[in-house]
Amino acid sequence: MDSRRDFLQKLTFSAIGLPFLSLSGSTLTEAFYKQPYEGPVLRVAIMGLGSYGNRVAEAMQSCKRAKVTGVISGTPSKIKDWQSKYGIPAKNCYNYENFDRIKDNPDVDAVYVITPNSLHHNHVIRAARAGKHVICEKPMAVNAKEGQEMVDACNKANVKLLVGYRMHFEPKTLEVIRMRQAGELGKIMFFQGLSGFRIGDPTQWRLNKQLAGGGSLMDIGIYSINGARYMVGEDPVWVTAVETKTDEVKFKEGVDETIQFQLGFPGGAVASCLSTYNMGNLDRFFLNGQDGFAELQPATGYGPIKGRTHKGELTQPHYTHQTIQMDEMAGIILDGKKPVVPVDGEEGLKDLKIIDAIYLAAKTGKKVDLKL
């Protein structure tokens, strides 16, 4: 298995179509998809035409409020293929050297950065300076210092910075959040997040410290970090962590294989999480309250997500995650809509601060206090 994205794709069923049903906790409704839409559309240039860039573009063909209108890639053959498939004119195609010219292109409102982690910082700041809103894949950067600079650059340019947290719009996830907010689970006491798979090709960029910024924690583990926060409904105040490495050839210095980490929350809840590149079939969230529980398994795959609570099975409809994400993000950028769970740069920055603290805790063996 070559990547997390391959894992997520194979772990769960392929997403087919977009059910026209209401979404619990979301702004999208049955009427929205069934009725003709004539309002503003977010015009997006995709930067990075790899496997996930292709997945996003495919999903956006079902969007009503977002459309792919441009591409940015260092591979001319990929650009040519995308032009043919999505009807993108040559004037909306760029490479990494000349994409600053996008500043003068009225066909693009936002740039979706889907490049290796270490490139996000430069690409987001350049897009912001070009006056374009930015959507950045997670993790937003390789550390909190870079993340803060990205947030500052977007604020200075007066453009929005959003992060590709697709699970923040997923129906079953939103139902668990609704139940927790309504008090149906009682006082939250414990969260468990298991995120892992056995990574394949040892030459891929995800196992390159310079490109990935780390290992499993930067790739799959961030799901449990972010998930702990939106499931518990608080930001953690401390972290402890232990790293385990069994293959120092594949997982070189600075590339974590397995990290177990614990988070403490101000309300008294604790989280126990696992991030790994060397164990399969790990995609589970469990939230325990004094009056009930919620479990998602798979919790973060491409879908359908499956779940149950003390009240029974979760039956909310499956939506293609990237379709609903981009429609919702269009609403955030164009209308100033407020999502149930934030997806802005500040949200991404909090996860980066936690990642920095986890690495520090694993290195020192000490409890690290957090101030998010």
Side-chain angles (χ1 to χ4, degrees):
M1 218 169 281
D2 291 337
S3 72
R4 161 174 56 85
R5 285 160 186 151
D6 291 335
F7 157 74
L8 293 172
Q9 183 175 7
K10 293 174 182 177
L11 181 67
T12 53
F13 298 106
S14 299
I16 302 175
L18 185 66
F20 297 145
L21 298 172
S22 62
L23 233 187
S24 174
S26 172
T27 57
L28 295 184
T29 64
E30 179 180 6
F32 174 78
Y33 280 108
K34 283 190 173 181
Q35 296 176 0
Y37 175 75
E38 298 180 354
V41 172
L42 184 71
R43 297 164 297 182
V44 181
I46 303 290
M47 175 186 285
L49 309 185
S51 62
Y52 195 68
N54 275 275
R55 178 176 286 274
V56 169
E58 285 279 358
M60 286 180 66
Q61 291 190 89
S62 297
C63 285
K64 298 188 72 172
R65 299 212 61 186
K67 180 182 180 180
V68 177
T69 59
V71 293
I72 304 156
S73 173
T75 307
S77 60
K78 289 183 179 180
I79 293 177
K80 186 177 180 180
D81 290 343
W82 278 54
Q83 281 188 268
S84 175
K85 186 171 184 177
Y86 299 109
I88 300 170
K91 66 184 180 67
N92 293 355
C93 299
Y94 302 87
N95 57 43
Y96 296 116
E97 287 71 43
N98 68 16
F99 94 83
D100 304 276
R101 299 177 190 170
I102 206 169
K103 177 180 182 179
D104 301 315
N105 193 331
D107 292 344
V108 175
D109 303 310
V111 175
Y112 195 158
V113 177
I114 313 178
T115 52
N117 303 338
S118 67
L119 305 181
H120 292 178
H121 177 261
N122 175 264
H123 291 160
V124 167
I125 291 176
R126 286 174 66 186
R129 288 175 178 169
K132 303 301 180 182
H133 300 294
V134 192
I135 302 167
C136 182
E137 258 312 300
K138 58 195 177 302
M140 191 173 76
V142 297
N143 55 54
K145 178 179 181 295
E146 285 194 358
Q148 185 65 65
E149 291 170 356
M150 294 157 69
V151 169
D152 292 343
C154 289
N155 286 338
K156 183 178 180 180
N158 196 31
V159 299
K160 292 187 183 297
L161 171 58
L162 306 181
V163 185
Y165 290 117
R166 59 187 169 82
M167 303 313 300
H168 292 199
F169 308 108
E170 195 282 317
K172 294 181 178 66
T173 301
L174 288 173
E175 174 60 12
V176 172
I177 293 171
R178 185 204 64 75
M179 291 179 67
R180 188 253 302 154
Q181 290 176 334
E184 295 176 23
L185 304 179
K187 180 178 172 60
I188 300 302
M189 303 300 295
F190 176 72
F191 171 79
Q192 181 187 52
L194 304 177
S195 300
F197 65 98
R198 294 180 63 87
I199 199 165
D201 180 9
T203 66
Q204 64 181 280
W205 71 262
R206 289 179 177 81
L207 295 176
N208 181 326
K209 173 67 161 60
Q210 284 64 46
L211 290 175
S216 71
L217 193 67
M218 299 293 291
D219 182 31
I220 192 73
I222 192 171
Y223 283 94
S224 281
I225 293 171
N226 190 251
R229 293 175 52 229
Y230 63 68
M231 295 287 274
V232 172
E234 295 180 340
D235 288 329
V237 293
W238 59 258
V239 60
T240 60
V242 176
E243 180 179 0
T244 303
K245 187 171 292 190
T246 64
D247 187 343
E248 295 191 4
V249 175
K250 190 171 189 176
F251 304 103
K252 298 178 175 60
E253 179 68 26
V255 179
D256 49 286
E257 174 186 329
T258 301
I259 292 185
Q260 299 171 76
F261 61 93
Q262 296 74 42
L263 303 171
F265 297 86
V270 292
S272 177
C273 303
L274 175 69
S275 167
T276 183
Y277 266 162
N278 206 23
M279 302 179 207
N281 305 307
L282 292 177
D283 184 17
R284 178 178 182 265
F285 285 177
F286 180 79
L287 184 67
N288 190 44
Q290 290 184 336
D291 297 332
F293 74 90
E295 178 185 40
L296 297 175
Q297 185 176 9
T300 63
Y302 289 138
I305 302 303
K306 296 182 179 180
R308 65 190 180 100
T309 75
H310 60 288
K311 294 186 175 182
E313 183 181 357
L314 294 173
T315 59
Q316 286 68 29
H318 169 67
Y319 285 74
T320 303
H321 295 174
Q322 295 79 10
T323 303
I324 192 170
Q325 172 196 321
M326 294 307 296
D327 268 332
E328 290 280 20
M329 286 185 167
I332 294 169
I333 291 174
L334 297 174
D335 304 332
K337 288 186 177 181
K338 301 293 184 183
V340 174
V341 184
V343 292
D344 55 27
E346 295 292 345
E347 178 81 356
L349 182 58
K350 287 180 179 181
D351 283 344
L352 293 175
K353 289 179 178 178
I354 297 171
I355 287 174
D356 286 352
I358 291 173
Y359 280 137
L360 179 60
K363 181 178 180 180
T364 63
K366 297 180 179 180
K367 182 179 180 179
V368 176
D369 291 330
L370 288 166
K371 292 183 179 180
L372 304 184

